[in-house]
Structures are given as C-alpha cells and as structure tokens.
Amino acid sequence: MPEFAYSLPPGLDVHLVPAPTRMSPSSGGGTGCVVDEDTRIETTGPGAERAARWLRGAVGAATGLPLPPAGDHGNRVLLRIVPGLEEELGSPEAYRFTADGHDVVIDGASEAGLFWGAQTFRQLLGPEAFRRAPVTGRRQWEVPAVTIQDAPRFRWRGLLLDVARHFMHKDGVLRYLDLMAAHKLNVLHLHLTDDQGWRLEIKRYPRLTEVGAWRARTRFGHRASPLWEEKPHGGFYTQDDIREIVAYAAERHITVVPEVDVPGHSQAAIAAYPELGNSDVIDTTSLTVWDDWGINPNVLAPTDTTLRFYEGVFEEVLELFPSPFVHIGGDECPKDQWRRSPAAQARIKELGLADEDELQAWFVRHFDTWLTARGRRLVGWDEILEGGLADGATVSSWRGYAGGITAARAGHDVVMCPEQQVYLDHRQDGGADEPVPIGYVRTLEDVYRFEPVPPQLTPQEARHVLGTQANVWTEVTEDQGRVDYQAFPRLAAFAEVAWSALPAPAERDFADFERRMGVHYRRLDALGVAYRPPTGPLPWQRRPGVLGRPIEGAPPNV
C-alpha cells in the first residue's frame, strides 16, 4: 500500500473524510471536470454497473442531472474495474480517481473499490451532493483536478448498533447503512438480542418476539437513576425486514454481522421460554423482559434443551445473514446460578471440566464447532478467552487491548474495539451539559488518535488484527437523535482511523482533520445527522437531571 501522502498545489483545498492514501494534482494540469446536463456515466467491464446505478441515484437526486449511460457529447464519468489495482495498491477495495478536462475516471480493484471511489466523487462535488433533492438551482458542478490513489488500512471497519436495549426501526438501520457507506465503513455489527429485548423474528420460536421483544417500562438514565419511562418499549425485525437490510447493505458493500447472545444477556429469551433458564435454582416462569440496565444474573442453562433451541435459532440466522461471521456474545455471564444449579454441576462433572469458566468455554466451543461445520466463523467478546478459546473463534476485544493481544499471540483473529477508546456511548466532554454522561471523556481528537494495533504485537501477530470497530450501546441512547449525537462527529474520526494509513497517534495532524471537518459538518447537515456541534450540545440535546455514570481521569491503556 502507498504511504500516506498529501501533495496539493496552493489554492486547491480538498476536504475528504476519510483522508485518501495519496492525493496530488492531475498530471495534465487541467482545470478539473464540469458535471452538467450533458454529463454521462459510463461503465467498462462486468460489475461496474452496480456502482454506476448507485451514483446515478444518489448524485442524480441531489443535482437533478440525468447522468445517462451514453451520449453523443459532453463530459463523462467513467467507472472501470481494473483487477491489477489490487496488486498495485495492496487491497481488493482499492481505487484510483482522476479528474481532468472532460473526464472523471474511477478505477476500482473490485466492485467494492469502485463503490468507495464513487463515494469520493460525491464528496468532491460538495456538501449539496448529499441531499435527496436539488436545492441550489445550479446546473453545473465542478470536480477539482486531482488524482487520488486510495486503499483501506483494515478490512474490518465496523460499527456496532445496539438495537436490543432501545429498538431502532428498520428505516433507521437503512439510514445508518447510508451513513456508514459515506464514511467507507464496511461492517455493521447488529446487536439483536439482550436481557432487555429480542429483536429478530424466529419462525419456529414465535414467543421470542411475541413476548421477548417487549418490556413494560424502561429506566431513564444510568441504572442508579430513580427515573422511569412508564410505558412499554419494544419492536423487532421480521425476516423480510432483515432480508431488506442485508440486501441494502450488500448494495453498499457492507457486511451485516448478527449478534445473538449466549449464554449471558439472555433474560428476554428466558422470559419467552422459561425452560432455557436455570429452573432448578430460580422460578424462571416469573421472569419478564428486563426493564433495567447492568449485568443480569439470569443466564442460560447448560442443557441439551438449550443447545438444541439455539441451534434452531442459528439455523434461521444463517438463512438470513450471508455474513461469514456470526457473533455469539459470550460476555458478562455471571456464574452464580451455575454454581448453585445441580444440573449445571452435573454437566461440569459429566464433561470432566474444572469449573464454571470451563463450562462457559464448552458452551462457546459447541457453537464454534456447529458454525464451522456450516462454513461460518464464530466471533465473541473477549470473555470467550476464559476457560480456553475455541479453535476457530475470532475475538472482539472490548475490555481493552489485553484480550486482543492474548488472542493474536495465540493465532486467533481479532477485532479491536476497546471500550476505553471507541465506545461512542461514552461522553464527548467533561462539561455539565453533556447528556447522560457515561464513562470516560472521549473527545473527537481522542478518537482520532486511537490506534487499533497495540505496539506489543510483532508484525506477524499484528496480521491477526482484522480491523477495528466503534460500538454504540443504547441503554441511555433512547432514539435516533441521541444515537446521532453520540456517534457523530466521532464516527467520522473513527472512519479515518479505520481507513487511512495515518501516522503514529502523536504525529497525526488533527488540525488538518478539523479543517476538513469544517466542510464535512455541512455534509452531515445535508444528510440530516443530529451530531454534537463542536461548541457543545444544543439545548434540546441536553438531558438535565438524568443521572449518568461519568468516570474521571484518562482511560487506562489496558
């Protein structure tokens, strides 16, 4: 991959986010390319038409230009797939962009690379190109005379949306797929089940959504808050909704990774089907979908009944999600019920296990084997390391870097998402106006200086770092506006970390990023994103009097 390098002539100000690998004035020294009513979008080679179709729809809607596939005169935007680019630029998602004279040429190493090049073209047209209908009355749009060579640093550039704690309707998920595509992110981790709600229709187990998708009320604020929203909350995605989400994502070269939590974070499932819980310890028939936050003691029973039930769930999950990865959670599973359960203790003895940690590892390993037999790969939070890691498992390292370091050194693939750095539900400022302040202060600059690959790893070990992911948990993020506020603008900084070959954290030019964000905020405005302004929250973005859980000081680098 080429080294990160800007080379722009004086007076040419380009504001791309994420920053491309290499950018320079076009070799012809031209004045750029005008896009107008005579401009056509042409394609060469199989696979290019899909990117052209997206470009005509998105840019055509914003500009009002027809952008036909052919014409006798005028400028053109030429989209081509050039397989040799993968070897030249080091990634199947690479692209090369040139605007000079009458032509814009976008070459992609693959369909994905071509699509990311089309996203760059849209940014170069200006913020108004991100609207859904023309607002300016202009009939000409100029693209500056630049040549760009670009490729992502990581192949996993992810965003987790927690739709279990507070449900996000289908249209909101589709909207976030568009926002991800605009920032060249390519993995949507959809957290579909938890104690507070089950969000995925499973046809053979209808009570999972009839019962498990609805809670009677919701605590407002952190779990120590005395405030309650005394109305039911819930919702779920039908299987057709999921097919639509997956297809919409695929058109944007985004993989949707489903998460179905086992063996913890499972009270919603147990409320629907009490036989899944440790009924020899507690009355599972009395459980309801949880209305509170925190770590729940009610976990799945390690029985054959539970294994067969979740195999049935995952059979339908695999039919809906073509992702090679399936996330099974595996985190925050309290062992107290297993310690007190005669059935769980009998299973430990039967399997020859040392303790409850090994029982959890057996549970995870069962589904690792089951998924592997069906051509899929298990992903789990770093607690799956406890008691021995399943052979084919990939680790989402969330409690810091340590789990990812351990996993990479053992030869396992890793997605770095340390809570101290890239949990976007954490507060963005230490001021009193920050809504429901959770966790450490993570400013825009803090996220921009996040480094996914720990220096402790050797180059060989570092190759196991598939990439990185920002996580948006929604316990105190109750609607789309709150999700926007927590995610943006920090997700733009994260996207640059995940895509661009940036220097070491201390050497990164945050002032230049802020300069480019000056234009990028206008793109977010055009997209209708309720981001946190640089000057602080607007009055309606605050939540005065709602208790949070701020943690003071700098986060540990663990």
Side-chain angles (χ1 to χ4, degrees):
M1 174 191 246
E3 64 180 90
F4 186 71
Y6 279 113
S7 177
L8 289 174
L12 182 57
D13 205 12
V14 178
H15 301 78
L16 296 177
V17 176
T21 305
R22 182 177 294 274
M23 181 162 52
S24 60
S26 294
S27 58
T31 59
C33 181
V34 171
V35 177
D36 58 20
E37 289 185 347
D38 294 325
T39 301
R40 60 197 184 275
I41 295 179
E42 294 183 1
T43 60
T44 299
E49 183 53 39
R50 182 155 66 152
R53 185 170 62 247
W54 176 85
L55 198 55
R56 286 190 194 98
V59 172
T63 62
L65 301 176
L67 303 172
D72 296 329
H73 58 280
N75 302 332
R76 67 172 179 169
V77 178
L78 177 61
L79 306 181
R80 307 182 298 194
I81 292 179
V82 181
L85 269 184
E86 178 175 352
E87 183 176 353
E88 180 183 342
L89 298 181
S91 169
E93 296 182 86
Y95 70 91
R96 181 171 53 223
F97 178 99
T98 304
D100 195 9
H102 293 291
D103 286 339
V104 170
V105 179
I106 307 174
D107 293 332
S110 64
E111 285 191 59
L114 199 58
F115 181 72
W116 304 131
Q119 292 288 349
T120 294
F121 172 71
R122 188 189 191 190
Q123 286 201 16
L124 289 170
L125 286 173
E128 300 307 328
F130 286 78
R131 296 191 178 274
R132 297 183 185 180
V135 297
T136 64
R138 63 199 258 208
R139 305 308 295 169
Q140 287 191 339
W141 302 67
E142 186 171 337
V143 180
V146 294
T147 295
I148 295 169
Q149 295 185 90
D150 203 7
R153 180 184 179 191
F154 294 110
R155 62 187 175 107
W156 185 302
R157 306 180 302 278
L159 170 68
L160 177 143
L161 282 180
D162 171 19
V163 297
R165 270 56 174 270
H166 277 100
F167 181 60
M168 178 180 286
H169 289 277
K170 180 194 68 177
D171 285 352
V173 177
L174 299 179
R175 174 177 176 267
Y176 258 85
L177 288 167
D178 280 329
L179 292 172
M180 289 176 66
H183 292 84
K184 299 185 174 72
L185 298 172
N186 70 341
V187 176
L188 173 62
H189 176 168
L190 209 52
H191 181 73
L192 289 163
T193 75
D194 216 295
D195 301 301
Q196 297 86 1
W198 184 285
R199 307 297 178 209
L200 175 63
E201 178 188 27
I202 300 297
K203 291 188 180 295
R204 74 188 70 185
Y205 304 128
R207 285 177 58 84
L208 285 172
T209 47
E210 291 171 358
V211 174
W214 310 94
R215 61 178 181 261
R217 64 175 189 168
T218 302
R219 188 182 292 278
F220 193 51
H222 180 252
R223 57 182 174 268
S225 169
L227 304 176
W228 292 88
E229 187 176 42
E230 297 285 354
K231 66 178 183 180
H233 175 84
F236 65 92
Y237 307 110
T238 68
Q239 294 201 353
D240 281 345
D241 290 338
I242 292 296
R243 293 185 182 97
E244 181 181 357
I245 288 168
V246 168
Y248 196 84
E251 284 289 314
R252 288 146 183 80
H253 299 278
I254 296 171
T255 299
V256 183
V257 175
E259 180 178 351
V260 174
D261 266 296
V262 295
H265 288 287
S266 297
Q267 182 162 320
I270 298 169
Y273 291 92
E275 64 271 23
L276 298 174
N278 295 284
S279 55
D280 56 346
V281 175
I282 63 164
D283 178 12
T284 55
T285 63
S286 68
L287 294 178
T288 59
V289 178
W290 207 26
D291 57 14
D292 211 344
W293 315 125
I295 298 175
N296 190 304
N298 296 304
V299 303
L300 297 174
T303 63
D304 290 341
T305 296
T306 301
L307 296 181
R308 299 293 87 77
F309 183 97
Y310 274 87
E311 286 172 2
V313 169
F314 283 119
E315 283 176 6
E316 295 193 27
V317 167
L318 298 192
E319 291 174 1
L320 295 169
F321 295 91
S323 164
F325 294 93
V326 176
H327 209 293
I328 57 90
D331 63 315
E332 296 180 331
C333 178
K335 310 297 193 301
D336 181 64
Q337 288 184 358
W338 288 352
R339 293 186 186 97
R340 296 187 289 119
S341 164
Q345 292 303 310
R347 176 124 275 186
I348 289 173
K349 184 177 180 180
E350 169 198 340
L351 296 170
L353 304 176
D355 54 22
E356 291 76 20
D357 284 344
E358 287 195 6
L359 183 62
Q360 178 171 344
W362 164 83
F363 204 106
V364 171
R365 193 175 292 112
H366 174 88
F367 286 103
D368 177 62
T369 302
W370 190 92
L371 289 167
T372 299
R374 289 154 181 80
R376 306 298 182 97
R377 296 181 63 184
L378 179 145
V379 193
W381 302 109
D382 54 52
E383 285 95 331
I384 67 174
L385 290 162
E386 298 166 2
L389 187 58
D391 292 339
T394 296
V395 170
S396 297
S397 189
W398 76 273
R399 292 180 293 182
Y401 291 100
I405 292 169
T406 299
R409 285 175 173 168
H412 292 271
D413 288 340
V414 176
V415 177
M416 284 293 184
C417 48
E419 63 171 331
Q420 302 88 346
Q421 312 296 330
V422 288
Y423 268 32
L424 300 187
D425 51 307
H426 283 206
R427 57 195 172 131
Q428 302 183 61
D429 187 84
D433 286 338
E434 214 59 33
V436 198
I438 298 295
Y440 296 101
V441 172
R442 292 286 85 195
T443 66
L444 183 65
E445 182 171 0
D446 290 332
V447 174
Y448 190 68
R449 298 194 188 280
F450 163 62
E451 173 49 50
V453 179
Q456 299 96 316
L457 295 180
T458 67
Q460 179 69 26
E461 293 165 347
R463 280 196 277 272
H464 284 291
V465 179
L466 299 179
T468 184
Q469 180 172 289
N471 295 345
V472 181
W473 300 102
T474 62
E475 288 96 331
V476 300
T477 309
E478 72 278 3
D479 57 30
Q480 179 174 289
R482 285 285 290 121
V483 174
D484 281 4
Y485 180 92
Q486 293 301 134
F488 288 99
R490 293 182 297 180
L491 192 63
F494 173 81
E496 185 148 312
V497 169
W499 176 276
S500 306
L502 297 176
E507 299 168 11
R508 294 176 188 172
D509 190 349
F510 180 68
D512 177 71
F513 178 74
E514 281 192 303
R515 176 189 66 85
R516 288 180 282 120
M517 282 301 299
V519 171
H520 198 66
Y521 284 120
R522 292 166 53 203
R523 297 185 190 116
L524 297 179
D525 287 333
L527 288 165
V529 177
Y531 58 84
R532 181 189 190 275
T535 54
L538 298 167
W540 52 87
Q541 292 175 320
R542 301 166 189 162
R543 296 290 187 277
V546 181
L547 185 66
R549 184 183 61 91
I551 305 175
E552 302 304 331
N557 190 15
V558 294

